[in-house]
Amino acid sequence: MSRVLLEDAPGKKVLLLGNEAFARGALEANVQVAAAYPGTPSSEIMEALSSVAEAAGIYAEWSVNEKVAFEVAYAAAVSGLRAMCSMKHVGVNVASDAIMVANYAGVEGGLVIISADDPFGHSSQNEQDNRMFAKFAELPCLEPCNPQEAKDSVVIACELSEKCKLPVIVRSLTRLSHVRGDVELGPLPKEKRKPNLKREITYTGFPAADHHKLLHERLASIRDDLEKVPFNRLEARGGERLGIVACGIGYNYAKEALKLLNVKDGEVAVLKLGVPHPLPKKLVGDFLKTYDKIYVVEDGFPFVEEQLKVMCYDLGVHPEIFGKLTGHLPMEGEIDPEKVTSGLARILGIDYKPPEVKVPGDLELPRRTLSLCAGCPHLATFYAIKQAIRREIKGDPRKVSVVCGDIGCYGLGLFHPYNMFNTHICMGASIGAANGFARTGLENPVIAYLGESTFFHAGMPPLLNAVYNGANIKVIVQDNFTTAMTGHQPNPGVGVTAMGKPAPRILVEDVAKAFKVPFVKVVDAYNINELIETIREALRTPGPAVIVARRMCAELARRQARRKGIKITPPTVNKEKCTGCKYCITQLLCPALIWREDEKKADIDPILCAGCGMCVQICPQKAITGGSGVGNL
Ligand SMILES: Cc1ncc(C[n+]2csc(CCOP(=O)(O)OP(=O)(O)O)c2C)c(N)n1
């Protein structure tokens, strides 16, 4: 991949993932500083860019959170360089405090914010549409529809940003970030810029209204340029029956829908829209004046649909507008070619039945619940927390304690069969909410559970709050040496940067001690008894406590074991001793533990087993013995 990203071969076509195309776009746009915090579906942008950053002579980092990522990029842009930050949609919420003032302050060099939205919430807590954020922040927003446009969008956004001196938001979606497509390469810049920090652009913030006015003037200054962005295109001019306004990725679905319904060329007009904010008023206005019926195809909120209705009022025209607000597309979830086709068929009065999806042959796909990996150290910590509560508080953990969850692989703890958490909102909220539960008068002990990447991202301020205000909360940080959930990116606890340079390893326990947490202990998560006893001790000790349950992510550990030549040998279940009590299966919940119905005994799946040794420790009959693997690292 790195070779392709660095190839100086204008005109050459290459196959790129949408996110790789954004990275290539950054290189073509002469972005010299890039910062990001991982989050699906955005992560591969920084993964791709950081892998070539040194060779390209640029700087790229995984910041500790999205706010810092934005601020890093903002400072570079204020210094006259071109800069980019990328994040998932909810990351923009974290960065918003800074963005909502940087829009007033403005930039010198082009500044691009890539927001990768996740309609349906395939890998997210919500389905936020950040075109709305662009409107809220009064910033221009581009919405590319394929990897080619993804690449080009960064170049165009940089140019627009420099022209109006505002950050520009580029909205991606899961289906764009993670699709592969042909991309025609553009030229790579020959020269790097030198920073040139002009004193007069330092933002005074007073009076805000003056700067707000400046923001409006800056936004208005590129209205004509936004009309000309090549992602806006009028197609099949002259169609009488209907005009489709197809936004971003929805353009691809609209084209497919027309094909599926055999709509002849020229019968339906399509306005491909790549600038959802501010709308290219002339282009859109002319379209609204031409057609009696308009179908708005967009993923996310009815963002463009609502704006069109407002425009119609101003223009004094009354086309019928179909879309999400009229039920022709769903208000929730992701749109797809079938949904767009069904909506179009209803408008055109065509009978359409979506094709049945056929699984080849007699293949019946097994239904699986979401599950943590075999040997995952979160399984050990989940088990230990429940055991510690059972033994110390003497009751059902769900009834006698409050456990606040957080965002990471361990978020699966929310669901059956783990049933770990009472709350699960956003990064860092485990400790934040724990602070609150400790003040409700509930007598139950309050536990916050999170991973180290989340701790560094947003867990430190609420921990400080607990110490400052003396909240009686027990914080358990499972340190697995990586940001596992989003694809194993490094974080400050790992000791390496995005560009592969060694970095000081920041330990959670050192932070906790510096914050004067009175009870701080570090335990090997695979040492289950010690972990249980440490949690019990913390529960008995009043005041805030931090327990670091340290163990490498089992998937990373498997790779490391392979490299070190450590063979994974699953433990064996002594079928004489196994009473078939299912304790191991139902309590540890490791997917490598399986039930042999014919024998009515537990067994271990040798393919899944990572050789962690957790089941050996917890079997009440001592029927599981031996084995080696990641537990020996
Ligand atoms: C504001 C925000 N940014 C990014 C994400 C994406 N994300 C989900 S979990 C996670 C971090 C997980 O790392 P860690 O807490 O160390 O737990 P692990 O998955 O390694 O167990 C990230 C970055 C998010 N959900 N919200």
Side-chain angles (χ1 to χ4, degrees):
M1 176 44 49
S2 47
R3 205 176 46 80
V4 174
L5 285 186
L6 292 172
E7 208 165 355
D8 199 7
K12 182 173 171 180
K13 277 203 173 146
V14 294
L15 187 68
L16 292 182
L17 190 71
N19 278 346
E20 292 163 353
F22 283 120
R24 168 73 192 197
L27 295 172
E28 288 183 13
N30 208 8
V31 162
Q32 283 173 243
V33 174
Y37 183 73
T40 312
S42 72
S43 309
E44 298 85 0
I45 301 172
M46 177 50 75
E47 279 172 359
L49 204 50
S50 61
S51 72
V52 298
E54 194 163 17
I58 69 165
Y59 176 75
E61 74 169 40
W62 285 123
S63 309
V64 295
N65 66 30
E66 295 85 352
K67 180 171 182 285
V68 176
F70 172 77
E71 287 158 355
V72 167
Y74 165 73
V78 165
S79 313
L81 305 184
R82 285 186 167 181
M84 181 172 94
C85 60
S86 50
M87 55 199 71
K88 70 181 289 160
H89 59 296
V90 283
V92 175
N93 302 338
V94 177
S96 66
D97 205 18
I99 298 174
M100 292 303 292
V101 184
N103 54 354
Y104 283 25
V107 291
E108 273 299 296
L111 175 55
V112 182
I113 304 165
I114 300 186
S115 164
D117 295 3
D118 184 18
F120 183 80
H122 294 280
S123 355
S124 310
Q125 320 74 307
N126 73 6
E127 322 187 76
Q128 179 177 320
D129 180 341
N130 276 346
R131 296 177 302 171
M132 302 283 266
F133 184 85
K135 188 156 194 270
F136 179 52
E138 303 179 82
L139 291 176
C141 179
L142 305 182
E143 199 177 5
C145 79
N146 57 29
Q148 177 70 53
E149 287 193 358
K151 176 189 78 74
D152 296 340
S153 69
V154 183
V155 180
I156 295 169
C158 267
E159 282 161 5
L160 287 171
S161 167
E162 237 155 57
K163 186 152 187 200
C164 67
K165 299 198 179 299
L166 294 174
V168 172
I169 295 176
V170 174
R171 182 201 194 207
S172 184
L173 295 172
T174 304
R175 302 293 168 187
L176 171 58
S177 282
H178 289 168
V179 78
R180 276 179 202 281
D182 274 351
V183 174
E184 188 175 317
L185 300 181
L188 288 172
K190 299 279 173 270
E191 271 179 37
K192 295 269 179 287
R193 289 186 186 174
K194 294 248 177 314
N196 177 18
L197 181 59
K198 295 185 198 150
R199 186 77 208 149
E200 61 274 18
I201 68 158
T202 310
Y203 177 61
T204 61
F206 181 81
D210 284 357
H211 292 275
H212 196 181
K213 186 161 181 276
L214 184 61
L215 164 60
H216 293 150
E217 287 164 4
R218 286 174 160 166
L219 193 58
S221 73
I222 53 159
R223 284 222 176 249
D224 286 347
D225 303 87
L226 292 175
E227 299 273 342
K228 291 182 212 133
V229 169
F231 307 159
N232 300 322
R233 198 166 58 229
L234 185 58
E235 288 186 2
R237 212 183 289 262
E240 294 287 310
R241 296 168 72 184
L242 173 75
I244 301 180
V245 177
C247 313
I249 200 103
Y251 167 74
N252 309 313
Y253 304 158
K255 295 288 279 187
E256 199 160 331
L258 290 170
K259 213 190 289 169
L260 280 171
L261 297 181
N262 292 318
V263 176
K264 295 197 185 54
D265 270 358
E267 256 182 77
V268 169
V270 177
L271 174 61
K272 178 187 174 316
L273 192 67
V275 183
H277 186 262
L279 282 183
K281 283 225 164 125
K282 167 132 189 26
L283 192 64
V284 175
D286 288 348
F287 201 71
L288 291 176
K289 285 186 222 157
T290 310
Y291 298 95
D292 292 337
K293 290 183 176 182
I294 303 276
Y295 180 30
V296 187
V297 177
E298 58 189 324
D299 219 343
F301 299 167
F303 179 72
V304 169
E305 191 179 345
E306 282 182 353
Q307 290 190 77
L308 295 194
K309 292 196 167 177
V310 174
M311 275 183 77
C312 284
Y313 179 86
D314 287 345
L315 293 167
V317 294
H318 307 285
E320 242 184 304
I321 296 186
F322 305 96
K324 289 173 177 266
L325 296 171
T326 54
H328 289 78
L329 285 173
M331 286 288 279
E332 305 85 18
E334 204 178 21
I335 60 166
D336 60 28
E338 248 160 47
K339 291 175 188 158
V340 173
T341 309
S342 298
L344 181 61
R346 271 176 62 201
I347 299 165
L348 295 176
I350 300 174
D351 200 21
Y352 169 74
K353 273 206 189 67
E356 264 178 52
V357 180
K358 285 215 177 90
V359 179
D362 297 334
L363 189 67
E364 207 174 292
L365 298 175
R367 289 194 148 262
R368 293 185 209 276
T369 52
L370 292 166
S371 128
L372 288 164
C373 305
C376 172
H378 290 302
L379 291 170
T381 350
F382 284 1
Y383 174 84
I385 291 173
K386 285 181 182 162
Q387 286 304 314
I389 294 169
R390 271 197 194 108
R391 293 181 203 176
E392 199 56 38
I393 321 289
K394 310 239 178 327
D396 177 351
R398 298 270 295 167
K399 301 208 175 111
V400 299
S401 65
V402 178
V403 184
C404 303
D406 221 306
I407 314 289
C409 290
Y410 45 90
L412 296 189
L414 196 61
F415 306 110
H416 181 75
Y418 307 107
N419 299 320
M420 279 299 297
F421 302 134
N422 296 77
T423 60
H424 181 263
I425 317 172
C426 64
M427 294 188 75
S430 58
I431 310 183
N435 271 277
F437 280 116
R439 302 299 173 190
T440 57
L442 277 171
E443 285 181 10
N444 306 353
V446 180
I447 295 174
Y449 186 95
L450 69 169
E452 88 283 6
S453 188
T454 299
F455 176 77
F456 294 122
H457 176 284
M460 288 171 20
L463 178 62
L464 194 57
N465 190 73
V467 179
Y468 174 50
N469 291 302
N472 183 20
I473 64 170
K474 316 300 162 195
V475 178
I476 299 173
V477 184
Q478 202 288 304
D479 178 3
N480 59 4
F481 303 72
T482 190
T483 315
M485 177 79 175
T486 46
H488 295 127
Q489 294 82 8
N491 63 55
V494 177
V496 68
T497 69
M499 288 171 71
K501 302 259 182 280
R505 190 164 172 226
I506 314 296
L507 298 173
V508 174
E509 60 271 26
D510 290 348
V511 175
K513 283 177 197 156
F515 282 5
K516 301 205 181 313
V517 176
F519 182 110
V520 181
K521 295 226 162 144
V522 183
V523 189
D524 176 355
Y526 280 170
N527 191 339
I528 292 181
N529 270 338
E530 193 186 342
L531 189 52
I532 295 172
E533 289 313 312
T534 310
I535 299 170
R536 291 183 70 182
E537 190 190 341
L539 290 172
R540 284 195 297 268
T541 313
V546 169
I547 296 169
V548 181
R550 183 159 285 137
R551 252 298 157 169
M552 182 180 286
C553 159
E555 287 308 302
L556 273 191
R558 264 178 192 279
R559 288 180 211 167
Q560 215 177 80
R562 214 174 297 138
R563 272 198 301 272
K564 290 186 174 168
I566 296 174
K567 220 175 134 243
I568 289 171
T569 312
T572 42
V573 179
N574 181 326
K575 300 288 165 87
E576 304 289 305
K577 285 192 179 171
C578 176
T579 59
C581 69
K582 289 193 183 170
Y583 181 87
C584 59
I585 296 172
T586 58
Q587 300 302 307
L588 189 57
L589 300 164
C590 176
L593 288 163
I594 51 176
W595 179 245
R596 295 267 179 231
E597 187 53 39
D598 49 344
E599 301 174 340
K600 302 263 184 278
K601 306 274 179 192
D603 208 345
I604 292 165
D605 182 333
I607 295 173
L608 289 182
C609 179
C612 65
M614 287 193 280
C615 54
V616 175
Q617 295 174 59
I618 61 123
C619 171
Q621 326 302 335
K622 301 273 171 273
I624 309 177
T625 53
S628 61
V630 301
N632 300 69
L633 280 170

